[in-house]
Amino acid sequence: MSIEILNESGRELDEKRLAELSRFVMDRMRVHPLAELCIKAVDEPTIAQLNQQWMEKEGPTDVLAFPMDELRPGLVNEEPEEGVLGDLVLSPEVAARQGEAAGHGAEAEIELLTVHGILHLLGYDHAEPEEHQVMFGLQDEILAAWRAQ
């Protein structure tokens, strides 16, 4: 797997741990071992501009997912499709505020946003109640497994 972490946020980020978490999620979701992922941490003005440009929403957000080859989770006994999973753009500043408000801190929030973003890259969504239940259940399950190791 090729996982590139670019920190342009001006904040400290544990890039090694973020890459390990990403690999864990991709392995768990049976993504092809040669798939590519890029995670870019940016400051609030940059993510606000991207949020306006791509989502037509005002202000900064926590994470944006840009899928490339529309890869989907692999199935048991089936060879997963090779390709570029896509790009995640996240804001450590927004994550720090959200993590503080949630009572679990910035690092845990960045982990949550990374899992959440990768699931979006794999085609999961939460617009509808049924989708929300599936995606957030899977997100919680992956995070629990990651933290239990």
Side-chain angles (χ1 to χ4, degrees):
M1 259 172 230
S2 171
I3 300 170
E4 183 178 19
I5 311 288
L6 305 170
N7 187 2
E8 300 175 2
S9 69
R11 293 185 141 228
E12 194 172 309
L13 191 65
D14 189 342
E15 296 165 23
K16 183 176 183 281
R17 184 162 171 82
L18 201 55
E20 289 169 353
L21 170 61
S22 299
R23 181 166 280 110
F24 179 85
V25 175
M26 292 167 70
D27 284 344
R28 190 157 180 109
M29 297 304 295
R30 292 180 164 74
V31 174
H32 195 282
L34 296 177
E36 298 175 33
L37 168 68
C38 178
I39 299 175
K40 189 175 195 176
V42 298
D43 60 20
E44 278 191 77
T46 301
I47 205 157
Q49 185 266 325
L50 291 169
N51 197 31
Q52 174 65 46
Q53 179 181 352
W54 295 102
M55 304 303 291
E56 298 179 356
K57 294 182 180 176
E58 289 289 321
T61 189
D62 48 14
V63 65
L64 293 168
F66 298 98
M68 298 294 186
D69 291 338
E70 297 186 12
L71 300 182
R72 296 297 177 250
L75 302 173
V76 178
N77 299 324
E78 246 185 54
E79 184 67 24
E81 189 177 342
E82 198 175 326
V84 178
L85 185 56
D87 296 339
L88 290 183
V89 180
L90 60 85
S91 170
E93 290 172 271
V94 174
R97 281 197 306 276
Q98 289 179 176
E100 188 68 32
H104 57 232
E107 186 175 321
E109 187 70 12
I110 287 171
E111 289 177 351
L112 184 149
L113 295 174
T114 300
V115 173
H116 188 86
I118 292 172
L119 290 177
H120 272 308
L121 293 176
L122 288 168
Y124 288 88
D125 202 358
H126 47 83
E128 300 297 324
E130 308 81 40
E131 294 173 331
H132 185 280
Q133 185 176 2
V134 169
M135 183 173 178
F136 280 76
L138 187 54
Q139 176 180 293
D140 291 346
E141 177 186 313
I142 291 169
L143 281 169
W146 166 251
R147 293 175 178 150
Q149 57 174 359

